[in-house]
Amino acid sequence: TNYKLTPPLRSAKDQKTMIKAALEGKIDIVFSQHTPCTPEEKVLEFDLASHGAINLQTSVLACIEALGKDNIES
């Protein structure tokens, strides 16, 4: 159920395109709506589980990994 997300995870090609655009300055901001799910909402059968993820920690670390910490501003 950790992969039941809206919008869904993007392809590797989409990810590379986003990283390139960010490094070229075509993307000014990366935004993640942090709406966490409780374990009661996620620890269910896939069809019954809520859409969502622990987003804030995942998004920040993904940006740092993809762009490098020197390219991240707070």
Side-chain angles (χ1 to χ4, degrees):
T1 61
N2 289 335
Y3 297 106
K4 187 172 183 180
L5 306 171
T6 300
L9 296 173
R10 303 300 181 195
S11 70
K13 181 181 176 184
D14 290 338
Q15 293 171 30
K16 288 177 185 176
T17 301
M18 292 284 292
I19 291 167
K20 181 180 177 188
L23 291 172
E24 292 175 350
K26 296 177 182 175
I27 294 175
D28 296 321
I29 188 168
V30 175
F31 172 80
S32 175
Q33 181 179 353
H34 180 61
T35 308
C37 294
T38 65
E40 291 79 15
E41 295 172 296
K42 291 300 279 185
V43 183
L44 299 167
E45 291 82 9
F46 193 84
D47 292 346
L48 301 175
S50 297
H51 290 86
I54 298 173
N55 217 354
L56 184 62
Q57 299 91 329
T58 304
S59 298
V60 172
L61 292 175
C63 286
I64 291 171
E65 182 178 325
L67 303 174
K69 66 180 178 180
D70 295 334
N71 293 310
I72 305 292
E73 295 181 28
S74 55

